[in-house]
Amino acid sequence: MPAKGVAVTADVVIAGGGVIGTAIAWRAAAAGLDVVLADPAYGDAASLVAAGMLAPVSEALFGEGALLRVNLLALARFPSFAAELEQVTGHRVGLRREGTLAVAFDAGDYAALTRLTAFRRSAGLEAEELDSRACRKLESFLTPDVHGGVLFPGDWSVDNRRYAAALREAAAAAGVRVVRDRVTAVLTADGADGANARVRGVALAESGEIGSDRVVVAAGSWSGAVQGLPAGLRSAVRPVKGQLLRLRHPDGMPPVLTHTIRATVRGADVYLVPRADGEVIVGATQEERGPDLTVTAGAVHDLLHDAMSVLPVTSELILAETCAGLRPGTPDNGPIVGDAGPGGLLLATGHYRNGILMSAATADAAVACLTGRAPAPEWEPFGPGRFLTRQGER
Ligand SMILES: Cc1cc2nc3c(=O)[nH]c(=O)nc-3n(C[C@H](O)[C@H](O)[C@H](O)COP(=O)(O)OP(=O)(O)OC[C@H]3O[C@@H](n4cnc5c(N)ncnc54)[C@H](O)[C@@H]3O)c2cc1C
């Protein structure tokens, strides 16, 4: 039932139009729901800054088994999702499946890579150890000084800008209505503290209210600023700054890379991600600086220095763009996806370093919740309840 005086109503309102909100909007509309997506800066957020790695293997870290399982689910889902997106829009999204070549600059870096590789193998992930010469056979522009490396064939990548643009086009074609405004609050029928409170819509900064009995908060790093979320959830997502460079080959220069390279250079991590159109992404810093989007000279220097240490030809590429984005981080590095607090409220946020990778699987999980079905079991550890329980608010 629409709220009194509300001009716009919908089956579902989605707050946030990064890859997560837009992927959910597209799939929800394709499932027959009438969807409104609200975002004051639609098409301009972390989703566009990202490197586009779909890298469950080289992102697998000690103690993050549940996250690995959901990342593997996400990777398995990605190709069919991308294929449908390409078919609906007629645009290629640049999915590449060459894998990640992790390289270690010195013996200390190699020792760390060896320990991680043993862990990843024990989790059933494929890994092929390579000496320096074998690394250069795969990537001829690598410095001969590289100590050694490991090929992780189970990692892929996508051109996240093309992908995000295709998602927006597919959502529009499926009938999603976009309101360029900020959601200030989730509105509930019985007041925020009522035991049986239900969502009745959202309040917008400029354009009144939208009536709906289902609301998805997918506002990335800003999710906690939406009023009406249970307090434990408002503080669960924080921005983690990342600075990143976009390089381009000069006209006529053949591609300098085929695989994604993840290098450790005397303890510092850097990655280089090649695109089919000749772009090479170099990233990224990881900084706890709140909502700061400045690009610093030091970060540009460090990223280029480390990239050139392993791939000297980087110095011949054109520095086309420097940018910074905010990863939506959470206390346990896992996403927050599922029903939360008042009936009809769904969260899809906190995707931290893997939001591009997880977007398709998150859309599936969210649409399952919206249509009364259970999401895949891999999502079970990542419900909003883990933060409510921690705060004693259930
Ligand atoms: C440098 C860097 C590199 C990365 N590399 C990778 C990678 O290689 N692979 C990978 O999988 N992930 C990567 N990520 C992470 C990935 O970018 C994020 O996890 C992902 O973009 C999160 O998507 P999102 O839609 O939740 O958030 P965002 O893309 O941040 O979108 C949030 C949207 O919500 C809107 N919004 C905010 N507040 C409101 C409100 N109140 N009402 C309405 N709308 C609102 C914003 O305008 C924005 O459009 C990287 C991130 C960074 C910064």
Side-chain angles (χ1 to χ4, degrees):
M1 170 80 75
K4 201 170 162 217
V6 171
V8 180
T9 61
D11 293 336
V12 188
V13 181
I14 299 174
V19 282
I20 299 296
T22 313
I24 295 170
W26 174 38
R27 297 319 301 163
L33 297 173
D34 176 28
V35 181
V36 170
L37 186 155
D39 190 327
Y42 190 43
D44 179 23
S47 302
L48 300 193
V49 173
M53 291 178 288
L54 308 175
V57 185
S58 57
E59 285 281 331
L61 300 175
F62 298 104
E64 294 186 349
L67 189 57
L68 171 62
R69 284 187 285 283
V70 86
N71 277 341
L72 289 172
L73 172 82
L75 188 81
R77 173 65 171 111
F78 207 92
S80 59
F81 189 86
E84 189 174 345
L85 195 55
E86 289 183 339
Q87 198 239 322
V88 166
T89 62
H91 299 308
R92 306 304 298 246
V93 298
L95 184 61
R96 297 186 64 152
R97 306 193 195 212
E98 286 91 348
T100 298
L101 176 59
V103 296
F105 190 72
D106 65 19
D109 298 328
Y110 192 68
L113 178 59
T114 303
R115 276 194 297 279
L116 262 179
T117 303
F119 161 71
R120 289 168 185 166
R121 278 217 181 93
S122 74
L125 303 172
E126 207 181 324
E128 185 186 344
E129 269 146 347
L130 304 169
D131 63 16
S132 177
R133 184 187 292 255
C135 288
R136 293 187 73 215
K137 243 184 164 168
L138 285 182
E139 291 294 349
S140 58
F141 287 101
L142 281 174
T143 173
D145 296 338
V146 157
H147 193 88
V150 179
L151 178 66
F152 297 114
D155 281 350
W156 304 336
S157 69
V158 70
D159 184 329
N160 47 294
R161 289 187 174 179
R162 287 173 184 266
Y163 174 65
L167 281 174
R168 291 194 295 277
E169 196 172 316
V176 173
R177 289 173 286 159
V178 175
V179 175
R180 289 186 181 268
D181 202 347
R182 180 170 55 89
V183 171
T184 55
V186 175
L187 304 171
T188 52
D190 301 314
D193 297 321
N196 296 315
R198 269 208 69 86
V199 159
R200 65 173 177 84
V202 298
L204 300 168
E206 308 285 342
S207 25
E209 297 180 2
I210 304 174
S212 180
D213 57 12
R214 277 167 292 184
V215 171
V216 182
V217 174
S221 297
W222 301 270
S223 298
V226 176
Q227 299 297 308
L229 301 189
L233 292 172
R234 283 211 300 276
S235 56
V237 182
R238 71 183 196 286
V240 181
K241 178 181 176 182
Q243 300 187 54
L244 177 146
L245 316 176
R246 297 190 128 77
L247 311 183
R248 238 181 336 102
H249 290 68
D251 287 347
M253 186 177 183
V256 298
L257 274 184
T258 307
H259 302 78
T260 291
I261 301 288
R262 291 184 92 133
T264 313
V265 182
R266 299 189 187 96
D269 293 328
V270 67
Y271 55 71
L272 297 100
V273 185
R275 300 267 193 259
D277 64 2
E279 203 175 43
V280 176
I281 311 300
V282 177
T285 64
Q286 190 137 322
E287 304 166 64
E288 298 287 353
R289 284 181 177 271
D292 168 26
L293 285 173
T294 53
V295 174
T296 61
V300 175
H301 168 274
D302 291 351
L303 290 170
L304 286 176
H305 173 270
D306 293 342
M308 282 187 243
S309 299
V310 288
L311 197 79
V313 72
T314 303
S315 65
E316 291 176 34
L317 302 180
I318 296 164
L319 178 56
E321 186 183 337
T322 61
C323 46
L326 303 174
R327 305 173 184 90
T330 62
D332 58 11
N333 297 339
I336 306 174
V337 175
D339 293 313
L345 175 61
L346 185 76
L347 258 75
T349 185
H351 293 78
Y352 194 31
R353 298 189 313 250
N354 293 302
I356 310 295
L357 166 63
M358 282 195 250
S359 53
T362 298
D364 287 348
V367 172
C369 293
L370 291 170
T371 55
R373 291 175 294 117
E378 286 85 347
W379 288 104
E380 206 268 328
F382 298 109
R386 71 195 195 276
F387 296 112
L388 296 178
T389 307
R390 197 171 287 179
Q391 307 269 330
E393 289 190 2
R394 253 198 166 157

